[in-house]
Amino acid sequence: MSPRLHSWERPALTVAAAVTCGLAQVVVFPRFSWDLLAPVCLVPLLLVLSGLGPWRRFLLGWVSGGVFWAGTCYWIYPVMRDYASITPPVAGALFVTFFTVKSVQMGAFAFVAGPLLRKPWAVPAVAVLWVGLEGSHQYIFFTWTQLGNASLDFAVPHVLRLAPWTGIYGPSLVFALVNVAVAVAIRRRSATPFVALLPVLGVFLLPALPPEGGGSRTARLVQPNVHPDLLKTDWLANNGTSHLARMLELSSAPADLEKPSLVVWPEYPVPAFYFDDPRSRAFHERVARESGAAFIFNTISFEDGDRQRPRNSSVTLDRTGKRLSEYSKIILVPFGEFVPWPFHYFVEKVTLQAGMFRPGKQIAVATVEGKGIGTFICYESVFARLIRKFTAGGAQLLVNISNDSWYGRSAARDQHLLVVRMRAVENARWILRATNDGVTTAIGPSGRIEAQLPSYEQAALDVRFEYRTEKTGFVRFGEWLWWLCLAAAAPVTLRARPWKRHAGSVDAGGRGR
């Protein structure tokens, strides 16, 4: 064995470290929610990278990323199998393709991080690289949980105070900095790397998040609890009328309760055609009038009236049934509302509607009694850059309508809720979240769940909320920290020259380079 081959670089140990890193990231998030691992979940991989050759670093990162994406998004396989009319072998092949492709960015992180870990400025350099690559997922096919989401329930709540200023990227950067400092300190057997964490102490000087507790307004969130499998039968033909009557009943508060100023129905499998079906339009107008409240609901609309070009939309009516605004979902779900090229040649989508959904083109903020309400739909909650546009456009309240029933009873529901909570903190807004069968909830501007319905029940939830007018730094300036990290990662990557074999690196066989 080469004298340069440190025990950290032994092949079996490096593979174990990569797998452990991936598993540690999985358990940070629901359903495990071991958020205390967030500051150390990357350490196993970081410990073994600095002495390895370029392609071995990439492969280890790729393995680690594959474990993370497969372990976190395991629910994608049953969704495709059960709701996309895809046979189990094909669904399995697509799932393997999914986490294989998504793990490339983790491979790129390890590829670049190896030589950076040797540098005196390793801690900030590797941390900004992490944030830069993590944020890039939103532009490449699919994105979901980010490391910064762990700050929502973290034992040191001050980390979350960064989010209104930096978005999720501030908490992600803090966790990445600690991970790298711990790994470098262990490798060098020195406490010196922890000096790089001194700026992190600034989180204790940040202003507190908005106070918890309900507001002066009341809204009613309706949870229909209609499982998608029912629509594969004659359920809608036999029960559609009684179901809508029940929805109308749930939308009106009992006489002994305060009348809500807003009623929200979720995205759910029973289709509405408000724009081109007079009976559907009349019914929804009736809901608004009988509830005596502004009414937000989901409907299928059609681009330019063309039924071959459906859109997933929301409509807001005032208490008289007059339409105030409409919004069509801008960011669609891959394999859910559209099938990426070239898969559309042989894969049907998840949704029960015919044809490929078309994306909307612009946000919309409804003005209800002088207050702005922005409604985003389901998977859009993952995109911080989109949700802030509603707030920047005048939304004083955010509403999320979603149908998470496709996920079954998997961890995806809780993962999705975690993501929505981060959007509340970034925007300092209440988010009222109505879902088909869970999780229906009211989220305060501090990210706290203020009220919640039990899942898998047909019910309505009356919640207190408040309209808010102030705009956070993130709303004003957007993803500035991510762009800064991305810009900083470029020169340090070039300086480190990760594509070259550096002195002391080893290949898979253990030979010195």
Side-chain angles (χ1 to χ4, degrees):
M1 179 179 295
S2 167
R4 291 185 179 274
L5 181 60
H6 193 280
S7 60
W8 295 112
E9 281 81 55
R10 292 175 180 167
L13 180 61
T14 59
V15 173
V19 172
T20 301
C21 176
L23 289 174
Q25 292 177 78
V26 170
V27 300
V28 163
F29 301 110
R31 114 168 357 128
F32 301 96
S33 299
W34 294 357
D35 48 65
L36 285 175
L37 289 180
V40 294
C41 62
L42 305 179
V43 170
L45 180 64
L46 294 171
L47 282 174
V48 302
L49 290 179
S50 62
L52 303 180
W55 293 110
R56 190 171 167 199
R57 294 196 307 268
F58 175 83
L59 288 173
L60 288 174
W62 179 77
V63 168
S64 184
V67 171
F68 168 69
W69 283 103
T72 303
C73 298
Y74 68 91
W75 41 267
I76 288 178
Y77 168 72
V79 168
M80 291 191 295
R81 180 195 63 202
D82 297 339
Y83 299 113
S85 301
I86 301 175
T87 62
V90 176
L94 287 172
F95 179 55
V96 171
T97 301
F98 161 76
F99 68 75
T100 298
V101 172
K102 290 306 299 177
S103 61
V104 168
Q105 278 145 297
M106 188 67 172
F109 168 75
F111 177 78
V112 178
L116 290 179
L117 288 165
R118 301 167 175 266
K119 306 295 183 182
W121 28 271
V123 176
V126 176
V128 299
L129 173 68
W130 172 267
V131 175
L133 286 171
E134 186 182 56
S136 69
H137 283 284
Q138 65 184 310
Y139 293 103
I140 304 175
F141 179 54
F142 181 83
T143 187
W144 198 236
T145 51
Q146 293 172 261
L147 191 57
N149 283 311
S151 64
L152 282 157
D153 299 307
F154 193 62
V156 183
H158 303 78
V159 177
L160 186 58
R161 294 182 181 182
L162 278 166
W165 301 91
T166 65
I168 192 173
Y169 305 104
S172 278
L173 182 60
V174 168
F175 289 140
L177 284 165
V178 177
N179 272 281
V180 183
V182 170
V184 175
I186 292 173
R187 281 295 301 236
R188 297 179 185 176
R189 299 181 182 179
S190 168
T192 303
F194 291 113
V195 173
L197 299 183
L198 289 176
V200 172
L201 298 178
V203 300
F204 293 96
L205 304 177
L206 292 172
L209 297 175
E212 299 171 350
S216 60
R217 313 289 182 127
T218 302
R220 171 158 278 221
L221 312 179
V222 179
Q223 182 172 283
N225 194 35
V226 176
H227 196 278
D229 284 349
L230 291 174
L231 273 69
K232 297 179 181 179
T233 68
D234 295 330
W235 180 88
L236 191 58
N238 297 330
N239 300 279
T241 301
S242 60
H243 169 73
L244 292 178
R246 176 59 176 158
M247 291 291 286
L248 178 61
E249 179 184 352
L250 287 171
S251 301
S252 299
D256 58 337
L257 294 180
E258 180 181 350
K259 200 172 185 179
S261 61
L262 179 66
V263 171
V264 184
W265 285 13
E267 177 191 46
Y268 78 118
V270 177
F273 297 93
Y274 171 84
F275 291 100
D276 64 341
D277 184 342
R279 291 177 299 176
S280 178
R281 183 165 54 254
F283 173 74
H284 287 87
E285 291 170 351
R286 179 186 173 189
V287 173
R289 289 194 300 269
E290 293 195 9
S291 66
F295 178 34
I296 298 174
F297 61 93
N298 180 228
T299 187
I300 303 299
S301 65
F302 300 96
E303 190 175 57
D304 300 324
D306 185 350
R307 278 187 166 268
Q308 298 302 311
R309 295 187 289 180
R311 299 181 300 188
N312 189 354
S313 303
S314 69
V315 171
T316 303
L317 307 179
D318 70 10
R319 64 181 63 209
T320 69
K322 177 183 177 182
R323 177 157 53 95
L324 298 176
S325 76
E326 61 182 273
Y327 167 72
S328 293
K329 189 176 183 182
I330 294 174
I331 302 179
L332 303 177
V333 183
F335 294 103
E337 292 162 318
F338 81 103
V339 180
W341 182 91
F343 298 102
H344 67 278
Y345 288 114
F346 56 92
V347 175
E348 296 184 18
K349 56 180 183 17
V350 174
T351 181
L352 299 175
Q353 297 303 319
M356 296 280 284
F357 273 81
R358 304 295 290 266
K361 297 177 181 177
Q362 61 185 15
I363 65 150
V365 175
T367 301
V368 178
E369 297 180 349
K371 306 295 184 180
I373 301 177
T375 301
F376 56 98
I377 303 174
C378 197
Y379 175 65
E380 290 185 315
S381 59
V382 182
F383 298 88
R385 72 179 193 272
L386 175 69
I387 308 309
R388 65 166 286 274
K389 290 181 180 179
F390 287 95
T391 309
Q396 297 163 279
L397 169 72
L398 294 173
V399 172
N400 175 219
I401 59 175
S402 187
N403 178 15
D404 290 357
S405 57
W406 306 107
Y407 301 143
R409 294 177 181 261
S410 72
R413 295 169 176 270
D414 297 315
Q415 293 167 1
H416 198 182
L417 177 61
L418 192 72
V419 169
V420 179
R421 290 174 59 197
M422 180 56 73
R423 302 292 88 86
V425 180
E426 292 169 338
N427 292 272
R429 291 292 185 268
W430 281 84
I431 296 183
L432 305 183
R433 188 168 192 258
T435 68
N436 176 33
D437 61 2
V439 180
T440 296
T441 184
I443 304 168
S446 65
R448 174 188 168 93
I449 296 174
E450 300 289 351
Q452 181 175 317
L453 271 179
S455 294
Y456 317 112
E457 294 183 9
Q458 188 178 78
L461 177 67
D462 289 322
V463 299
R464 291 278 188 174
F465 72 95
E466 197 63 79
Y467 292 102
R468 296 176 60 87
T469 58
E470 68 274 22
K471 293 183 178 179
T472 65
F474 179 70
V475 170
R476 292 178 183 276
F477 304 112
E479 297 181 303
W480 64 270
L481 181 60
W482 176 62
W483 287 106
L484 186 63
C485 288
L486 206 59
V492 298
T493 298
L494 291 174
R495 186 172 178 181
R497 297 184 296 176
W499 53 88
K500 292 184 176 293
R501 294 185 178 90
H502 297 267
S505 65
V506 296
D507 65 11
R511 296 186 300 275
R513 295 292 183 188

Coordinates of all heavy atoms in Angstrom, one line a residue, residues 162-226:
L162 N -32.7 33.4 9.6 CA -32.0 33.9 8.4 C -33.0 33.8 7.2 O -32.9 34.6 6.3 CB -30.8 32.9 8.0 CG -29.5 33.2 8.7 CD1 -28.6 32.0 8.5 CD2 -28.9 34.5 8.2
A163 N -34.0 32.9 7.2 CA -34.8 32.7 6.1 C -35.6 33.9 5.6 O -35.7 34.1 4.3 CB -35.8 31.6 6.4
P164 N -36.1 34.8 6.4 CA -36.7 36.0 5.9 C -35.8 36.9 5.1 O -36.2 37.8 4.3 CB -37.3 36.7 7.1 CG -37.4 35.6 8.1 CD -36.3 34.7 7.9
W165 N -34.5 36.8 5.4 CA -33.5 37.6 4.7 C -32.9 36.9 3.5 O -32.6 37.6 2.5 CB -32.4 38.0 5.7 CG -32.9 38.7 6.9 CD1 -33.4 38.1 8.1 CD2 -33.1 40.1 7.0 NE1 -33.8 39.1 8.9 CE2 -33.7 40.3 8.3 CE3 -32.9 41.2 6.2 CZ2 -34.0 41.6 8.8 CZ3 -33.2 42.5 6.7 CH2 -33.7 42.7 8.0
T166 N -32.6 35.6 3.6 CA -31.9 34.9 2.6 C -32.7 33.8 1.9 O -32.2 33.2 1.0 CB -30.7 34.2 3.2 OG1 -31.2 33.2 4.2 CG2 -29.8 35.2 4.0
G167 N -33.9 33.6 2.3 CA -34.6 32.4 1.9 C -34.0 31.2 2.5 O -33.2 31.3 3.4
I168 N -34.4 30.0 2.0 CA -33.9 28.8 2.6 C -32.4 28.6 2.5 O -31.8 27.9 3.2 CB -34.6 27.6 1.9 CG1 -34.3 26.3 2.6 CG2 -34.1 27.5 0.4 CD1 -35.1 25.1 2.1
Y169 N -31.7 29.4 1.6 CA -30.3 29.3 1.4 C -29.5 29.7 2.6 O -28.4 29.1 2.8 CB -29.9 30.1 0.1 CG -30.8 29.7 -1.0 CD1 -31.8 30.5 -1.5 CD2 -30.6 28.4 -1.7 CE1 -32.6 30.1 -2.6 CE2 -31.4 28.0 -2.7 CZ -32.4 28.9 -3.2 OH -33.2 28.5 -4.2
G170 N -29.9 30.6 3.4 CA -29.2 31.0 4.6 C -29.1 29.8 5.6 O -27.9 29.4 6.0
P171 N -30.2 29.2 6.0 CA -30.1 28.0 6.8 C -29.3 26.9 6.2 O -28.5 26.2 6.9 CB -31.5 27.6 7.0 CG -32.3 28.9 6.9 CD -31.6 29.7 5.9
S172 N -29.4 26.7 4.9 CA -28.6 25.6 4.2 C -27.1 25.9 4.3 O -26.3 25.0 4.6 CB -29.0 25.5 2.7 OG -30.2 24.7 2.6
L173 N -26.8 27.2 4.2 CA -25.4 27.6 4.2 C -24.8 27.4 5.6 O -23.7 26.9 5.8 CB -25.2 29.1 3.8 CG -23.8 29.6 3.8 CD1 -22.9 28.8 2.8 CD2 -23.8 31.1 3.5
V174 N -25.6 27.7 6.7 CA -25.2 27.5 8.0 C -24.9 26.0 8.3 O -23.8 25.6 8.8 CB -26.2 28.0 9.0 CG1 -25.9 27.5 10.5 CG2 -26.2 29.5 9.0
F175 N -25.8 25.1 7.9 CA -25.6 23.7 8.1 C -24.4 23.2 7.3 O -23.7 22.3 7.8 CB -26.9 22.9 7.7 CG -28.0 23.1 8.7 CD1 -29.3 23.2 8.2 CD2 -27.8 23.2 10.1 CE1 -30.4 23.4 9.1 CE2 -28.9 23.3 11.0 CZ -30.2 23.4 10.5
A176 N -24.3 23.7 6.1 CA -23.1 23.3 5.3 C -21.8 23.7 5.9 O -20.8 22.9 5.9 CB -23.3 23.8 3.8
L177 N -21.8 24.9 6.4 CA -20.5 25.4 7.1 C -20.2 24.5 8.2 O -19.0 24.2 8.4 CB -20.7 26.8 7.5 CG -20.7 27.9 6.4 CD1 -21.3 29.2 7.0 CD2 -19.3 28.1 5.9
V178 N -21.1 24.2 9.1 CA -20.8 23.3 10.2 C -20.4 21.9 9.8 O -19.4 21.4 10.3 CB -22.1 23.2 11.2 CG1 -21.7 22.3 12.3 CG2 -22.5 24.6 11.7
N179 N -21.0 21.4 8.8 CA -20.6 20.1 8.3 C -19.2 20.1 7.8 O -18.4 19.2 8.2 CB -21.5 19.6 7.1 CG -22.8 18.9 7.5 OD1 -22.7 17.7 7.8 ND2 -23.9 19.6 7.6
V180 N -18.8 21.1 7.1 CA -17.4 21.1 6.5 C -16.4 21.4 7.6 O -15.4 20.7 7.7 CB -17.3 22.2 5.4 CG1 -15.9 22.2 4.8 CG2 -18.3 22.0 4.3
A181 N -16.8 22.3 8.6 CA -15.8 22.6 9.7 C -15.6 21.3 10.5 O -14.4 21.0 10.9 CB -16.4 23.7 10.5
V182 N -16.6 20.5 10.8 CA -16.4 19.3 11.6 C -15.5 18.3 10.8 O -14.6 17.8 11.4 CB -17.8 18.7 11.9 CG1 -17.6 17.3 12.5 CG2 -18.6 19.6 12.8
A183 N -15.8 18.1 9.5 CA -15.0 17.2 8.7 C -13.6 17.6 8.6 O -12.6 16.8 8.8 CB -15.6 17.0 7.4
V184 N -13.3 18.9 8.4 CA -11.9 19.3 8.2 C -11.2 19.3 9.6 O -10.0 18.9 9.6 CB -11.9 20.8 7.6 CG1 -10.5 21.3 7.6 CG2 -12.5 20.8 6.2
A185 N -11.9 19.6 10.6 CA -11.3 19.6 12.0 C -10.9 18.1 12.3 O -9.8 17.9 12.9 CB -12.3 20.1 13.0
I186 N -11.7 17.2 12.0 CA -11.4 15.8 12.2 C -10.2 15.3 11.4 O -9.2 14.7 11.9 CB -12.6 14.9 12.0 CG1 -13.7 15.1 13.0 CG2 -12.2 13.4 12.0 CD1 -15.0 14.4 12.7
R187 N -10.2 15.7 10.1 CA -9.1 15.3 9.2 C -7.8 15.9 9.7 O -6.7 15.2 9.7 CB -9.4 15.7 7.8 CG -10.4 14.8 7.0 CD -9.8 13.4 6.8 NE -8.6 13.3 6.1 CZ -8.4 12.6 5.0 NH1 -9.4 11.9 4.5 NH2 -7.2 12.6 4.4
R188 N -7.8 17.2 10.1 CA -6.6 17.9 10.4 C -6.2 17.8 11.9 O -5.2 18.2 12.3 CB -6.7 19.3 10.0 CG -6.9 19.6 8.5 CD -7.0 21.0 8.2 NE -7.3 21.2 6.8 CZ -7.6 22.4 6.2 NH1 -7.6 23.5 7.0 NH2 -7.9 22.5 4.9
R189 N -7.1 17.2 12.7 CA -6.9 17.0 14.1 C -6.6 18.4 14.7 O -5.7 18.6 15.5 CB -5.8 16.0 14.4 CG -6.2 14.6 13.9 CD -5.1 13.7 14.2 NE -5.3 12.3 13.7 CZ -4.5 11.3 13.9 NH1 -3.4 11.4 14.5 NH2 -4.9 10.1 13.4
S190 N -7.4 19.3 14.3 CA -7.2 20.7 14.8 C -8.6 21.4 14.9 O -9.5 21.1 14.2 CB -6.4 21.5 13.8 OG -6.4 22.9 14.1
A191 N -8.7 22.3 15.9 CA -9.9 23.1 16.1 C -9.9 24.4 15.2 O -10.9 25.1 15.2 CB -10.1 23.5 17.5
T192 N -8.8 24.6 14.5 CA -8.7 25.8 13.7 C -9.9 26.0 12.7 O -10.4 27.2 12.6 CB -7.4 25.9 13.0 OG1 -6.3 25.8 14.0 CG2 -7.2 27.2 12.2
P193 N -10.3 25.0 12.0 CA -11.4 25.2 11.1 C -12.7 25.8 11.7 O -13.5 26.4 10.9 CB -11.7 23.8 10.5 CG -10.4 23.1 10.7 CD -9.8 23.6 12.0
F194 N -12.9 25.6 13.0 CA -14.1 26.2 13.6 C -14.1 27.7 13.6 O -15.1 28.3 13.9 CB -14.3 25.6 15.0 CG -14.7 24.1 15.0 CD1 -13.8 23.2 15.5 CD2 -15.9 23.7 14.4 CE1 -14.1 21.8 15.5 CE2 -16.2 22.4 14.4 CZ -15.3 21.4 14.9
V195 N -12.9 28.3 13.4 CA -12.8 29.8 13.4 C -13.7 30.3 12.2 O -14.3 31.4 12.3 CB -11.4 30.2 13.2 CG1 -11.3 31.7 13.0 CG2 -10.5 29.8 14.4
A196 N -13.8 29.5 11.2 CA -14.6 29.9 10.0 C -16.1 30.0 10.4 O -16.9 30.6 9.6 CB -14.4 29.0 8.9
L197 N -16.5 29.5 11.5 CA -17.9 29.5 11.9 C -18.3 30.8 12.7 O -19.4 31.0 13.1 CB -18.3 28.3 12.8 CG -18.1 26.9 12.1 CD1 -18.5 25.8 13.0 CD2 -18.9 26.9 10.8
L198 N -17.3 31.6 13.0 CA -17.6 32.8 13.9 C -18.7 33.7 13.3 O -19.5 34.2 14.0 CB -16.3 33.6 14.1 CG -15.3 32.9 15.0 CD1 -14.0 33.8 15.1 CD2 -15.9 32.7 16.4
P199 N -18.7 33.9 11.9 CA -19.8 34.7 11.4 C -21.1 34.1 11.6 O -22.1 34.9 11.6 CB -19.4 34.8 9.9 CG -18.0 34.5 9.8 CD -17.7 33.5 10.9
V200 N -21.2 32.8 11.8 CA -22.5 32.2 12.0 C -23.2 32.6 13.3 O -24.4 32.7 13.4 CB -22.4 30.6 12.0 CG1 -23.6 29.9 12.4 CG2 -21.9 30.1 10.6
L201 N -22.3 33.1 14.2 CA -22.9 33.6 15.5 C -23.8 34.8 15.3 O -24.6 35.1 16.2 CB -21.7 33.9 16.5 CG -20.8 32.7 16.9 CD1 -19.7 33.2 17.8 CD2 -21.7 31.6 17.6
G202 N -23.7 35.4 14.2 CA -24.5 36.5 13.9 C -26.0 36.2 13.9 O -26.8 37.1 14.0
V203 N -26.4 34.9 13.7 CA -27.8 34.6 13.7 C -28.4 34.9 15.1 O -29.6 35.2 15.1 CB -28.0 33.1 13.4 CG1 -27.4 32.7 12.0 CG2 -27.4 32.2 14.5
F204 N -27.6 35.0 16.1 CA -28.2 35.3 17.4 C -28.5 36.8 17.5 O -29.2 37.2 18.5 CB -27.2 34.9 18.5 CG -27.0 33.4 18.7 CD1 -26.0 32.8 18.0 CD2 -27.9 32.7 19.4 CE1 -25.8 31.4 18.1 CE2 -27.8 31.3 19.5 CZ -26.8 30.7 18.9
L205 N -28.1 37.6 16.6 CA -28.4 39.0 16.6 C -29.5 39.4 15.7 O -30.0 40.5 15.7 CB -27.1 39.8 16.1 CG -25.8 39.6 16.9 CD1 -24.7 40.3 16.3 CD2 -26.0 39.9 18.4
L206 N -30.0 38.4 14.9 CA -31.1 38.7 14.0 C -32.4 38.9 14.8 O -32.6 38.3 15.8 CB -31.3 37.6 13.0 CG -30.1 37.4 12.0 CD1 -30.3 36.1 11.2 CD2 -30.1 38.6 11.0
P207 N -33.3 39.7 14.2 CA -34.6 39.9 14.9 C -35.4 38.6 14.9 O -35.3 37.8 14.1 CB -35.3 41.0 14.0 CG -34.6 40.9 12.7 CD -33.2 40.5 13.0
A208 N -36.2 38.5 16.0 CA -37.1 37.3 16.1 C -38.1 37.2 15.0 O -38.5 38.2 14.4 CB -37.7 37.4 17.5
L209 N -38.6 36.0 14.8 CA -39.6 35.8 13.8 C -40.9 36.4 14.4 O -41.1 36.6 15.6 CB -39.8 34.3 13.5 CG -38.5 33.7 12.8 CD1 -38.8 32.2 12.7 CD2 -38.3 34.3 11.5
P210 N -41.9 36.6 13.5 CA -43.2 37.1 14.0 C -43.8 36.3 15.1 O -43.6 35.0 15.1 CB -44.1 37.1 12.7 CG -43.1 37.2 11.6 CD -41.9 36.4 12.0
P211 N -44.5 36.9 16.0 CA -45.1 36.1 17.1 C -46.1 35.0 16.7 O -46.7 35.2 15.6 CB -45.8 37.2 18.0 CG -46.0 38.3 17.0 CD -44.9 38.3 16.1
E212 N -46.2 34.0 17.5 CA -47.1 32.9 17.1 C -48.5 33.3 17.6 O -48.7 34.2 18.4 CB -46.6 31.6 17.8 CG -45.2 31.2 17.3 CD -44.7 30.0 18.1 OE1 -45.3 29.7 19.1 OE2 -43.6 29.5 17.7
G213 N -49.5 32.5 17.2 CA -50.9 32.7 17.6 C -51.7 33.2 16.5 O -51.2 33.7 15.4
G214 N -53.0 33.0 16.6 CA -54.0 33.3 15.6 C -54.2 34.8 15.4 O -53.7 35.6 16.2
G215 N -54.9 35.2 14.4 CA -55.2 36.6 14.1 C -56.6 36.9 14.3 O -57.4 36.2 15.0
S216 N -57.0 38.0 13.7 CA -58.4 38.5 13.9 C -59.4 38.1 12.8 O -60.6 38.3 12.9 CB -58.4 40.0 13.9 OG -57.9 40.6 12.7
R217 N -58.9 37.4 11.8 CA -59.7 36.9 10.7 C -60.0 35.4 10.8 O -59.2 34.7 11.3 CB -59.1 37.2 9.3 CG -58.5 38.6 9.1 CD -59.6 39.7 9.0 NE -59.1 41.0 8.8 CZ -59.4 41.8 7.9 NH1 -60.3 41.4 7.0 NH2 -58.9 43.0 7.8
T218 N -61.1 35.0 10.2 CA -61.4 33.6 10.2 C -61.6 33.0 8.8 O -62.2 33.7 7.9 CB -62.8 33.3 11.0 OG1 -62.6 33.8 12.3 CG2 -63.1 31.8 11.0
A219 N -61.1 31.9 8.5 CA -61.2 31.2 7.2 C -61.7 29.8 7.5 O -61.4 29.2 8.5 CB -59.9 31.2 6.4
R220 N -62.4 29.2 6.5 CA -62.8 27.8 6.6 C -62.1 27.0 5.5 O -62.3 27.4 4.3 CB -64.3 27.7 6.5 CG -64.9 26.3 6.4 CD -66.3 26.2 6.8 NE -66.4 26.1 8.3 CZ -67.2 25.3 8.9 NH1 -68.1 24.5 8.2 NH2 -67.2 25.2 10.2
L221 N -61.4 26.0 5.9 CA -60.6 25.2 4.9 C -61.4 23.8 4.8 O -61.6 23.2 5.9 CB -59.2 24.9 5.4 CG -58.4 26.2 5.8 CD1 -57.0 25.8 6.3 CD2 -58.4 27.2 4.7
V222 N -61.8 23.4 3.6 CA -62.6 22.3 3.4 C -61.7 21.1 2.9 O -61.0 21.3 2.0 CB -63.8 22.5 2.5 CG1 -64.6 21.3 2.2 CG2 -64.6 23.6 3.0
Q223 N -61.8 20.0 3.6 CA -61.1 18.8 3.2 C -62.0 17.7 2.7 O -62.7 17.0 3.5 CB -60.3 18.3 4.4 CG -59.4 17.1 4.2 CD -58.5 16.7 5.3 OE1 -57.5 17.4 5.5 NE2 -58.8 15.7 6.1
P224 N -62.2 17.4 1.4 CA -63.2 16.5 0.8 C -63.0 15.1 1.1 O -63.9 14.3 1.3 CB -63.1 16.8 -0.7 CG -62.3 18.1 -0.8 CD -61.4 18.1 0.4
N225 N -61.7 14.6 1.2 CA -61.3 13.2 1.4 C -61.9 12.3 0.4 O -62.6 11.3 0.7 CB -61.8 12.8 2.8 CG -61.2 11.5 3.2 OD1 -60.0 11.2 2.9 ND2 -61.9 10.6 3.9
V226 N -61.6 12.6 -0.9 CA -62.1 11.8 -2.0 C -60.8 11.1 -2.6 O -59.9 11.7 -3.2 CB -62.7 12.6 -3.1 CG1 -63.1 11.7 -4.3 CG2 -64.0 13.3 -2.6

